[in-house]
């Protein structure tokens, strides 16, 4: 954190504490912890709930060392979907929420419907530092009343992970620049992607990508309007572009391009090392997952995974998160301070080195920690990952996410993508998805 931001935050905390102390004079029911900054004499415990691989773990101990009196109790849930269930359960109960809650972009729409149950971070200086992040990230976390309820962590610009050994064995280019050209470079299309896939399947006798769900997610996120129009109305049945992409994907699956892997499992990582598939869409945060899966299955950098500066259909973003402070927190000032610290330029650079979470913080994007060599670049055959992701982030537009966006992705089209991987006709799977949409009464 740079000195000027520290100073501003100190002023905000001092002002907040002063206001709180005045309030305490009128309310004997408030605790000492609620009105005084944390210190050795006034210890505060902050609960933090995150999900997946966000690269925040090294920062917790560092923060505790720099802020005497603060103890962080961190809980990490395995996937964003399970984290959503956890949040919804506690939100409905009105109890059990942490002081700092990580929110995934895909379910931000649901969170925004109850944005008044989160602390407005502008009360703790968010407005002064909003220029630190890409502008669309700040807009995503700002509600219609101008309340900013989350600090942006990472964003998910997408490139292509590919296995250079498998490409070479199939007689395809294996150099990452040549691979980018193979897919069409800056003009890459989904037609190019599936055409290369058909060629790979023909030459290798193996599947091309891991499973259709992630490909579908990328195809949807790339549209100007996905499952919802920007006015918040549902946009599926009459969404021509959406249907065209579904037809492309289902046709590819019928030709054997999908390996039909189980999402987030991949046979406990074995599919990454046994040649089951050769390519997958990779937002920055996925790179840490790939490395973890390969190593979990006993593999390493020698297994040939690489990262290419190309993506079908142009710029696309998948995911990214925000750190929010539920209004139930007993220590909102301390929680806001922690959330700001965890999303600062320095912290986001550390998170990138730890997990490949590409920063939404503009200063962090340009840091040597992001653009230089690290453990991820070594794993991905020396690929300049930070530079590639920075290039892939250019032109990304934040797609409007409706209240049930993540439900539609997981419960409506999740089963449909599994169905086409298992041989169901694309038309039948589409109709089944629409039936599920009606059964769930999503409007």
């Amino acid at each position: 954190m740079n000195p000027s931001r520290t100073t501003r935050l100190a002023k905000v905390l001092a002002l907040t504490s002063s206001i709180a102390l005045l309030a305490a004079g009128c309310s004997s029911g408030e605790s000492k912890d609620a009105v005084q900054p944390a210190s050795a004499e006034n210890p505060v415990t902050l609960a933090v709930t995150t999900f997946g691989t966000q690269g925040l773990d090294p920062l917790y101990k560092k923060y505790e060392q720099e802020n005497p009196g603060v103890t962080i109790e961190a809980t990490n849930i395995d996937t964003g979907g399970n984290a959503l269930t956890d949040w919804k359960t506690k939100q409905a109960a009105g109890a059990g929420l942490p002081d700092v809650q990580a929110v995934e972009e895909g379910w931000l729409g649901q969170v925004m419907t109850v944005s008044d149950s989160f602390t407005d971070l502008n009360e703790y200086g968010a407005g002064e530092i909003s220029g630190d992040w890409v502008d669309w990230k700040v807009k995503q976390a700002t509600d219609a009343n101008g309340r900013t309820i989350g600090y942006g962590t990472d964003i998910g610009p997408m490139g292509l992970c590919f296995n250079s050994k498998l490409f070479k064995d199939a007689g395809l280019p294996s150099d990452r620049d040549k691979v980018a050209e193979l897919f069409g470079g800056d003009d890459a299309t989904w037609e190019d992607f599936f055409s290369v896939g058909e060629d790979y399947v023909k030459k290798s006798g193996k599947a091309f990508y891991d499973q259709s769900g992630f490909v579908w997610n990328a195809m949807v996120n790339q549209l100007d309007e996905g499952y919802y129009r920007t006015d918040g109305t549902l946009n599926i049945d009459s969404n021509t572009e959406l249907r065209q992409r579904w037809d492309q994907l289902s046709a590819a699956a019928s030709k054997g391009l999908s390996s039909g892997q189980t999402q987030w499992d991949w046979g406990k990582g074995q599919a990454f090392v046994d040649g089951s598939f050769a390519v997958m869409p990779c937002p920055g945060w996925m790179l840490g997952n790939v490395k973890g899966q390969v190593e979990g299955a006993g593999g390493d950098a020698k297994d040939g995974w690489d990262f290419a500066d190309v993506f079908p259909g142009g710029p696309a973003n998948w995911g990214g998160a925000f750190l929010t402070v539920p209004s139930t927190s007993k220590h909102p000032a301390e929680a806001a301070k922690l959330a700001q610290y965890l999303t600062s330029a320095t912290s986001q650079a550390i998170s990138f080195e730890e997990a490949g979470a590409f920063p939404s913080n503009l200063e962090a994007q340009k840091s040597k920690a992001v653009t230089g060599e690290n453990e991820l670049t070594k794993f991905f055959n020396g690929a300049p990952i930070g530079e590639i992701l920075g290039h892939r982030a250019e032109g990304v537009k934040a797609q409007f996410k409706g209240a049930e966006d993540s439900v539609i992705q997981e419960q409506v089209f999740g089963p449909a993508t599994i169905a086409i991987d298992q041989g169901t006709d694309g038309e039948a799977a589409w109709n089944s998805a629409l039936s599920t949409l009606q059964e769930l009464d999503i409007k």
Side-chain angles (χ1 to χ4, degrees), residues 276-347:
S276 292
F277 64 92
V279 67
M280 68 182 296
C282 275
W285 51 263
M286 185 67 85
L287 299 172
N289 280 279
V290 173
K291 181 173 181 287
Q293 290 289 325
V294 171
E295 293 175 344
D300 55 28
K302 297 185 185 68
D303 283 284
W305 285 95
D306 207 322
F307 187 53
D309 186 2
V310 66
F311 200 74
N317 185 76
W318 178 10
F322 302 83
L323 296 185
T324 66
V325 178
S327 56
T328 51
S329 171
K330 294 180 180 178
H331 314 290
E334 294 293 343
K337 179 183 175 184
L338 174 59
Q340 183 180 328
Y341 170 84
L342 295 173
T343 55
S344 68
T346 300
S347 294

Side-chain angles (χ1 to χ4, degrees), residues 10-338:
K11 290 179 179 178
V12 170
L13 284 172
L15 176 61
T16 302
S17 299
S18 298
I19 294 172
L21 284 168
L22 289 172
C26 302
S27 175
S28 59
E30 286 187 311
S31 70
K32 180 182 177 184
D33 289 351
V35 297
Q36 293 185 359
S39 65
E41 292 72 32
N42 182 42
V44 167
T45 298
L46 298 175
V48 179
T49 298
T50 58
F51 53 84
T53 307
Q54 298 188 354
L56 299 178
D57 289 349
L59 297 169
Y60 297 144
K61 187 170 289 298
K62 189 170 183 287
Y63 188 82
E64 289 176 335
Q65 292 171 344
E66 296 175 1
N67 294 270
V70 174
T71 299
I72 297 174
E73 292 183 349
T75 299
N76 188 66
I77 298 174
D78 56 353
T79 68
N82 288 336
L84 170 60
T85 300
D86 180 75
W87 170 73
K88 290 174 70 173
T89 302
K90 293 172 179 173
Q91 176 75 13
L97 290 168
D99 298 285
V100 176
Q101 170 76 53
V103 170
E104 208 272 332
E105 183 212 25
W107 39 287
L108 182 64
Q110 294 186 58
V111 167
M112 278 302 187
T113 64
V114 291
S115 62
D116 58 351
S117 66
F118 290 85
T119 298
D120 180 5
L121 297 175
N122 289 314
E123 297 175 9
Y124 300 99
E128 295 182 43
I129 57 174
S130 61
D132 290 0
W133 293 274
V134 294
D135 57 353
W136 55 267
K137 190 77 172 177
V138 178
K139 290 177 182 176
Q140 282 183 310
T142 303
D143 70 10
N145 295 319
R147 302 174 73 256
T148 300
I149 66 163
Y151 285 122
T153 58
D154 60 322
I155 54 178
M158 303 183 75
L160 284 181
C161 290
F162 71 99
N163 189 296
S164 59
K165 285 188 173 181
L166 295 176
F167 269 48
K168 185 177 182 180
D169 290 346
L172 299 177
S174 57
D175 174 82
R176 74 176 67 90
D177 292 334
K178 296 294 184 184
V179 168
E181 291 178 15
L182 175 70
F183 283 106
D186 290 340
D187 298 318
T189 66
W190 286 106
E191 287 81 1
D192 296 327
F193 178 77
F194 293 125
S195 176
V196 171
E198 287 185 47
D199 189 33
Y200 176 83
V201 170
K202 182 179 179 181
K203 292 177 176 176
S204 70
K206 300 176 180 177
F208 187 51
Y209 52 82
D210 68 318
Q211 41 80 36
S212 291
F214 288 176
V215 178
W216 176 242
N217 197 29
M219 296 175 93
V220 175
N221 280 345
Q222 201 172 45
L223 296 172
D224 290 337
E225 293 182 320
Y227 297 135
Y228 285 85
R229 301 179 184 87
T230 53
D231 63 4
T233 58
L234 202 61
N235 185 35
I236 296 178
D237 196 11
S238 59
N239 189 333
T240 305
E241 286 186 292
L242 192 73
R243 179 57 196 264
Q244 288 175 341
R245 294 199 169 193
W246 177 261
D247 290 343
Q248 280 184 298
L249 180 64
S250 57
S254 72
K255 296 173 182 174
L257 271 65
S258 173
S259 179
Q261 296 292 317
T262 300
Q263 289 184 3
W264 308 114
D265 180 62
W266 298 282
K268 300 189 183 304
Q270 282 297 318
F272 279 99
V273 299
D274 66 8
S276 292
F277 64 92
V279 67
M280 68 182 296
C282 275
W285 51 263
M286 185 67 85
L287 299 172
N289 280 279
V290 173
K291 181 173 181 287
Q293 290 289 325
V294 171
E295 293 175 344
D300 55 28
K302 297 185 185 68
D303 283 284
W305 285 95
D306 207 322
F307 187 53
D309 186 2
V310 66
F311 200 74
N317 185 76
W318 178 10
F322 302 83
L323 296 185
T324 66
V325 178
S327 56
T328 51
S329 171
K330 294 180 180 178
H331 314 290
E334 294 293 343
K337 179 183 175 184
L338 174 59

Side-chain angles (χ1 to χ4, degrees), residues 285-416:
W285 51 263
M286 185 67 85
L287 299 172
N289 280 279
V290 173
K291 181 173 181 287
Q293 290 289 325
V294 171
E295 293 175 344
D300 55 28
K302 297 185 185 68
D303 283 284
W305 285 95
D306 207 322
F307 187 53
D309 186 2
V310 66
F311 200 74
N317 185 76
W318 178 10
F322 302 83
L323 296 185
T324 66
V325 178
S327 56
T328 51
S329 171
K330 294 180 180 178
H331 314 290
E334 294 293 343
K337 179 183 175 184
L338 174 59
Q340 183 180 328
Y341 170 84
L342 295 173
T343 55
S344 68
T346 300
S347 294
Q348 290 203 10
I350 292 173
S351 296
F352 176 79
E353 288 183 296
E354 184 74 11
F358 190 69
S360 61
N361 185 295
L362 295 168
E363 181 182 339
Q365 288 183 3
K366 300 175 182 176
S367 70
K368 191 171 182 180
V370 172
T371 60
E373 183 180 272
N374 54 49
E375 292 303 313
L376 275 176
T377 62
K378 294 175 184 175
F379 177 83
F380 283 93
N381 192 31
I385 289 172
E387 293 182 9
I388 291 175
L389 289 172
H391 184 217
R392 300 315 316 162
E394 294 175 3
V396 167
K397 297 178 181 177
Q399 185 187 78
F400 175 80
K401 298 294 183 182
E404 303 294 339
D405 217 284
S406 63
V407 175
I408 295 169
Q409 184 66 32
E410 293 180 13
Q411 298 183 32
V412 175
F413 282 100

